[in-house]
Amino acid sequence: MSKELSTEEKIREAAKRVFVEKGFDGCSSREIAKEAGMNVALVNYYFCSKKQLFKLVFETVMEDFMMSTLEVFKKDLSLESKLRIFIEREYEFLTSHPDIPRFIISELARGDKFEFDPRSILEKIEATGVFEELGKAQEEGIIRKMDLTNLMILISANCQYPFVGKPLMKHLNRLDDDQYSELITLQKQYVTEMLIGYLFIQKNK
């Protein structure tokens, strides 16, 4: 039998659902309390304010999003195998959490109104060894040389757009959810082979 969530955990889970759906500006502490089945006073008791609760939820979502895929770089596998698994995991995560990219992008776009320090997450990402391994592979001529930020954009754009752009793609092509899910399965295969073929130099000879 699964462990029952504590009051604090219930509030955090409820807040995550509401924030991801509506964003910080689109909801109130009262809505979060209602989603959790509690009163506003209890929400404020545990988290002081909606802003503090949002900060905690956002950082958790960001970390889950990044680390669910990047943990693969700690494994004793070839770089090609790691990148294949990385792409597969990103598609799996986004299939289960399709609203997460839109949520992260829209909240970061609030600019000065939103306080987010990425240092703790960046430190965890660096600890996986991903930056060091990619840099070494470039120096050894295993993969194409490019700025790591460009590499990140290249992979992220191909993995995330099918989910961010889902409403547009469905509308333009008159697809239902089941049909689009079938296309996503194929898209994952196309993206994997395209990126591996482009990045690994020996694949292009």
Side-chain angles (χ1 to χ4, degrees):
M1 186 168 63
S2 61
K3 180 182 176 183
E4 186 176 350
L5 294 177
S6 67
T7 299
E8 184 175 347
E9 289 170 332
K10 287 179 180 177
I11 294 171
R12 288 177 61 170
E13 287 300 311
K16 179 180 177 180
R17 292 192 295 271
V18 175
F19 282 137
V20 169
E21 179 183 354
K22 299 185 176 182
F24 179 83
D25 291 331
C27 68
S28 64
S29 294
R30 188 172 301 279
E31 288 179 83
I32 294 170
K34 182 179 179 181
E35 178 72 19
M38 302 172 191
N39 58 53
V40 177
L42 200 55
V43 173
N44 290 334
Y45 170 77
Y46 278 98
F47 296 99
C48 299
S49 66
K50 185 180 84 165
K51 183 177 181 180
Q52 182 63 29
L53 179 54
F54 179 84
K55 183 175 183 294
L56 180 63
V57 167
F58 185 87
E59 289 176 351
T60 300
V61 167
M62 252 319 251
E63 184 171 333
D64 287 347
F65 179 54
M66 301 299 292
M67 300 311 296
S68 65
T69 53
L70 287 168
E71 283 291 330
V72 68
F73 283 92
K74 290 183 177 180
K75 295 182 179 294
D76 185 18
L77 297 168
S78 68
L79 181 57
E80 180 178 332
S81 295
K82 289 179 182 180
L83 284 174
R84 286 181 179 276
I85 295 171
F86 172 83
I87 295 167
E88 181 177 338
R89 285 189 179 179
E90 182 143 1
Y91 267 83
E92 288 174 354
F93 181 89
L94 293 171
T95 297
S96 299
H97 307 86
D99 294 328
I100 293 299
R102 174 193 54 77
F103 167 68
I104 292 173
I105 292 168
S106 63
E107 294 305 321
L108 288 175
R110 292 199 290 126
D112 293 340
K113 295 193 296 179
F114 174 49
E115 298 174 4
F116 170 62
D117 186 348
R119 284 178 295 181
S120 63
I121 292 177
L122 288 173
E123 288 172 0
K124 291 178 181 178
I125 293 173
E126 188 172 2
T128 66
V130 57
F131 298 138
E132 182 179 354
E133 186 167 6
L134 289 172
K136 182 180 178 181
Q138 288 184 345
E139 291 302 317
E140 293 177 352
I142 296 172
I143 63 172
R144 188 182 297 271
K145 282 194 175 183
M146 66 172 69
D147 187 275
L148 290 181
T149 301
N150 286 116
L151 179 56
M152 184 185 302
I153 293 172
L154 180 66
I155 295 175
S156 297
N158 281 283
C159 291
Q160 294 173 25
Y161 182 77
F163 298 91
V164 176
K166 179 179 177 179
L168 175 61
M169 292 296 102
K170 281 181 60 184
H171 180 74
L172 289 177
N173 296 283
R174 300 181 180 180
L175 302 172
D176 60 27
D177 284 335
D178 289 339
Q179 291 171 320
Y180 198 77
S181 293
E182 291 178 7
L183 285 178
I184 288 293
T185 300
L186 288 172
Q187 189 69 16
K188 178 176 68 175
Q189 297 173 18
Y190 299 151
V191 166
T192 301
E193 296 309 319
M194 179 187 71
L195 290 175
I196 294 298
Y198 176 75
L199 291 173
F200 284 83
I201 295 172
Q202 65 267 30
K203 297 285 183 179
N204 298 311
K205 291 181 179 179

